[in-house]
Amino acid sequence: MAQRIFIQVLGFSEEERHALNTVFRLSEQCLTMYQLWTPEAPEPPGVALLDAQSHEARLHAESPSNQGLKMLWVGDNPPSGVWRSFTRPLSWPEVLEALDALFAVQQGIDLELDAVVAEPMSLKQALIVSPDRDVRLYLRARLALARVTLADEAETATGAMELARDKQYDVAVVDCGVQDMTAWALLRQLRKGRRPVAHVALTKQRRSLAEHVRAWFGGAEALLDQPPHPARLDAWLSRF
């Protein structure tokens, strides 16, 4: 069952607030969804995220009336009552792993999506990267159902990079299980190489919100199940 957790936020720079808003948006894809708490929210905050550089945040952390509230402190000299503290530069995946551990939903994070496949994309060039032949065949079949019929396959990251040097791909689906290079390094190569791939999705078993955030900041447009749920893959493909 999905749950929504309201987070009270005190302090933080404009850039950090922008990153946090991105985290909130990405969490809508998961069973545990995080949302900024405001006084108009239908329930009290489940956790507070406090900036050490904010005088208001320290007063909030030290107030006896907030003893029952889990608090995450970002910065130096955390008050004694906070639940977890993090140093800067802030790693959002690390913060999210702590939140997910606190508010874990045991059923996993997959959601059913209603999706309509977009207009035919018969001229799109796709690159499929996975060490598992069955996964590559599945992805090829799903892409074909979405009218993406021109697809090349690579078993390794090295092979994928060689293909991407010689051909312009519009779409790439990369299995996080590639073994000769991390999927994150391959993602950077595909997005920033001589022939950048415009749209890249990663696939991984047992995804988490922290990994969604890592994928987004790394340049991936989506982090999908392995193998991808058909509706999720089709919904991603329908965006372009």
Side-chain angles (χ1 to χ4, degrees):
M1 182 179 296
Q3 60 177 340
R4 185 174 297 277
I5 306 299
F6 288 95
I7 300 181
Q8 185 177 23
V9 179
L10 294 176
F12 298 99
S13 66
E14 183 177 347
E15 181 180 358
E16 289 171 329
R17 285 270 184 162
H18 176 73
L20 185 57
N21 287 333
T22 299
V23 167
F24 289 152
R25 178 173 57 81
L26 291 172
S27 76
E28 295 293 329
Q29 304 176 38
C30 305
L31 284 182
T32 301
M33 298 169 284
Y34 299 108
Q35 183 174 332
L36 178 67
W37 181 85
T38 66
E40 292 75 30
E43 60 187 70
V47 65
L49 185 61
L50 307 177
D51 179 4
Q53 299 175 5
S54 167
H55 178 66
E56 181 185 5
R58 183 167 292 276
L59 291 176
H60 191 81
E62 295 175 346
S63 172
S65 62
N66 294 321
Q67 287 183 353
L69 179 64
K70 294 286 188 182
M71 301 184 196
L72 286 78
W73 183 264
V74 178
D76 299 328
N77 302 318
S80 59
V82 300
W83 172 61
R84 289 286 302 273
S85 62
F86 304 89
T87 58
R88 285 187 167 91
L90 184 58
S91 170
W92 286 112
E94 186 179 352
V95 174
L96 290 166
E97 285 167 355
L99 288 172
D100 282 345
L102 179 63
F103 299 109
V105 176
Q106 298 301 319
Q107 297 94 324
I109 65 170
D110 194 34
L111 296 177
E112 294 293 329
L113 297 179
D114 295 324
V116 178
V117 176
E119 293 297 318
M121 299 187 295
S122 59
L123 298 180
K124 298 286 185 182
Q125 295 278 347
L127 176 61
I128 300 168
V129 189
S130 175
D132 189 321
R133 178 176 178 272
D134 290 339
V135 170
R136 297 197 305 271
L137 290 175
Y138 174 84
L139 288 170
R140 179 181 284 276
R142 291 306 314 177
L143 288 167
L145 287 174
R147 309 295 177 87
V148 181
T149 57
L150 303 176
D152 292 331
E153 300 177 19
E155 184 176 351
T156 65
T158 302
M161 290 170 57
E162 292 175 354
L163 288 170
R165 278 196 292 266
D166 297 329
K167 184 182 290 188
Q168 180 65 63
Y169 292 99
D170 303 285
V171 180
V173 183
V174 176
D175 179 356
C176 278
V178 292
Q179 298 172 356
D180 58 328
M181 178 186 296
T182 67
W184 311 105
L186 177 57
L187 169 62
R188 289 192 294 271
Q189 293 287 340
L190 295 177
R191 291 304 299 265
K192 298 179 181 179
R194 185 163 61 91
R195 299 176 187 270
V197 181
H199 306 286
V200 182
L202 300 180
T203 65
K204 191 179 189 302
Q205 293 181 341
R206 295 182 293 275
R207 299 166 297 133
S208 69
L209 177 55
E211 288 163 333
H212 274 279
V213 173
R214 284 194 184 99
W216 189 85
F217 280 108
E221 293 183 341
L223 179 65
L224 307 171
D225 292 311
Q226 179 61 290
H229 188 286
R232 283 189 172 275
L233 181 59
D234 291 347
W236 175 63
L237 291 170
S238 71
R239 297 174 190 169
F240 49 85

